[in-house]
């Protein structure tokens, strides 16, 4: 063989190797761009407001066919956590548990989707596997992105993304029904001891009670009912009970934002006064907005605490103990961003189901990774 031909072949081989490395590097760069773009805050969800349209269509469109697949195959736990808040092993375990319900209802579900698409003159939806469907559900819950953005990530239409999300939501609620449970007698003794070890004056407390707001779009009707004058937003209000181990014992599904905490407490008085939920001497720590009852411990009023140093010291311990529920609300909103954006209120009929699902996911997340509330009450 001619020496010149050998040199040409060697040069060609080196060019092929260089091209392979360039393609690999470009693929990684596109994945990083997709992760960065999707991980932007909710305020920049409408890409045309912050980016050039052509550049956005290229970066998102090129990543749409392979972003989610590459994330599962090549991405590490850090990248996966930014999308769905779970590590790979835990995410796949969740998918396996939901696979039976998703796959058994897939025939009816996609048959209905195809009929709906044909009725409206659209192309039938592309079928995803159950891992992709659970991933779509978690991306929507955790990132709070619109169905348009989610459709770009998974390479489907926004209508298909909407159908998949609510289908997986239904399967999730059926599979994990009752995942939030009030603690039994044995567990309440342990929780009571955790609080008493750190705050002796609060012996008997088994948890913390407070209300929280979830912003929604301004409704077309009953605007005054859903308007909260304190925070000046239209919102839903829920009551939550947080335990010293960082988990949720209960969360109401959402009342109009104008309701006061004491009114919500009165409406759910059976839950907060049942002898099955509270033994003798057990109670919940709350703020001054709740009524003082045998099962609800509130601080002394300011006029009383100023005159008695012991009451002032009690209020300080109660405030330092009860602050953990504010931590939980912050973790809850930052982990599952769908419930903290106004897009959450676009379809009010689905709000109770989404609140219940996020509560279940929060307890799963706390059981796997333990938030700072559990560390706060650990014996020092």
């Amino acid at each position: 063989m001619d020496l010149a031909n050998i040199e040409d072949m060697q040069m060609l081989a080196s060019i092929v190797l260089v091209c392979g490395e360039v393609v690999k590097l470009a693929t990684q760069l596109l994945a990083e761009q997709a992760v960065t773009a999707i991980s932007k805050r909710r305020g920049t969800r409408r890409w045309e407001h912050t980016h050039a349209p052509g550049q956005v269509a290229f970066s998102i469109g090129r990543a749409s066919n392979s972003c989610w697949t590459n994330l599962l195959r090549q991405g590490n736990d850090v990248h996966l956590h930014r999308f769905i808040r779970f590590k790979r092993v835990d995410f796949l375990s969740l998918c396996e548990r939901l696979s039976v319900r998703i796959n058994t209802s897939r025939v009816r579900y996609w048959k209905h989707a195809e009929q709906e698409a044909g009725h409206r003159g659209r192309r039938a939806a592309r079928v995803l596997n159950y891992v992709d469907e659970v991933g779509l559900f978690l991306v929507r819950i955790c990132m709070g992105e619109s169905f348009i953005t989610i459709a770009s990530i998974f390479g489907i239409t926004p209508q298909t993304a909407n159908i998949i999300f609510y289908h997986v939501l239904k399967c999730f609620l059926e599979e994990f029904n009752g995942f939030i449970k009030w603690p039994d007698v044995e567990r309440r003794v342990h929780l009571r001891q955790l609080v008493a070890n750190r705050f002796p004056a609060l012996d008997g407390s088994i948890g913390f009670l407070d209300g929280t707001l979830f912003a929604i779009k301004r409704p077309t009707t009953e605007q005054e009912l859903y308007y909260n004058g304190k925070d000046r937003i239209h919102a839903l209000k829920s009551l939550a009970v947080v335990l010293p181990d960082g988990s949720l014992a209960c969360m109401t599904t959402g009342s109009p934002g104008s309701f006061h905490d004491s009114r919500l407490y009165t409406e759910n008085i059976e839950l907060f006064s049942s002898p099955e939920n509270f033994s003798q001497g057990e109670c919940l720590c709350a703020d001054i907005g709740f009524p003082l009852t045998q099962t609800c411990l509130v601080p002394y009023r300011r006029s009383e605490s100023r005159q008695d140093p012991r009451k002032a010291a009690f209020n300080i311990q109660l405030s330092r103990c009860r602050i953990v529920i504010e931590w939980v609300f912050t973790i809850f909103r930052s982990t599952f961003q769908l419930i903290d954006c106004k897009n959450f209120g676009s379809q009010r009929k689905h709000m109770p189901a989404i609140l219940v699902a996020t509560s279940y996911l929060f307890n799963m997340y706390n059981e796997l990774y333990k938030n700072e509330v559990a560390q706060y009450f650990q014996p020092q």
Side-chain angles (χ1 to χ4, degrees), residues 21 23-24 41 46 62 69 72 85 102 113 145 164 177 182 184 200 226 285 292 314 365:
E21 293 296 329
V23 171
K24 183 178 179 181
R41 297 184 61 84
R46 297 185 179 274
R62 287 287 301 273
T69 303
L72 288 180
R85 305 296 190 262
I102 292 177
E145 296 294 348
I164 292 175
N177 184 26
W182 196 268
D184 54 15
Y226 287 90
C285 293
L292 177 63
F314 174 83
Y365 187 82

Side-chain angles (χ1 to χ4, degrees), residues 72-88:
L72 288 180
R73 294 179 180 177
Q74 303 176 4
N76 53 29
D77 286 339
V78 176
H79 288 161
L80 200 62
H81 183 272
R82 293 170 66 181
F83 277 95
I84 59 176
R85 305 296 190 262
F86 288 92
K87 295 181 180 179
R88 181 190 308 276

Side-chain angles (χ1 to χ4, degrees), residues 19 38 46 93 111 121 144 157 163:
C19 291
I38 299 165
R46 297 185 179 274
S93 299
K111 183 178 180 180
T157 62
I163 295 174

Side-chain angles (χ1 to χ4, degrees), residues 247-288:
S247 61
L248 289 170
C250 76
M251 175 174 282
T252 59
T253 55
S255 301
S258 62
F259 286 10
H260 195 268
D261 290 345
S262 59
R263 177 174 178 176
L264 296 182
Y265 180 84
T266 304
E267 292 179 352
N268 298 274
I269 192 63
E270 296 182 358
L271 173 64
F272 300 118
S273 62
S274 173
E276 299 179 356
N277 296 337
F278 296 91
S279 301
Q280 185 66 28
E282 295 179 347
C283 61
L284 298 173
C285 293
D287 58 24
I288 198 64

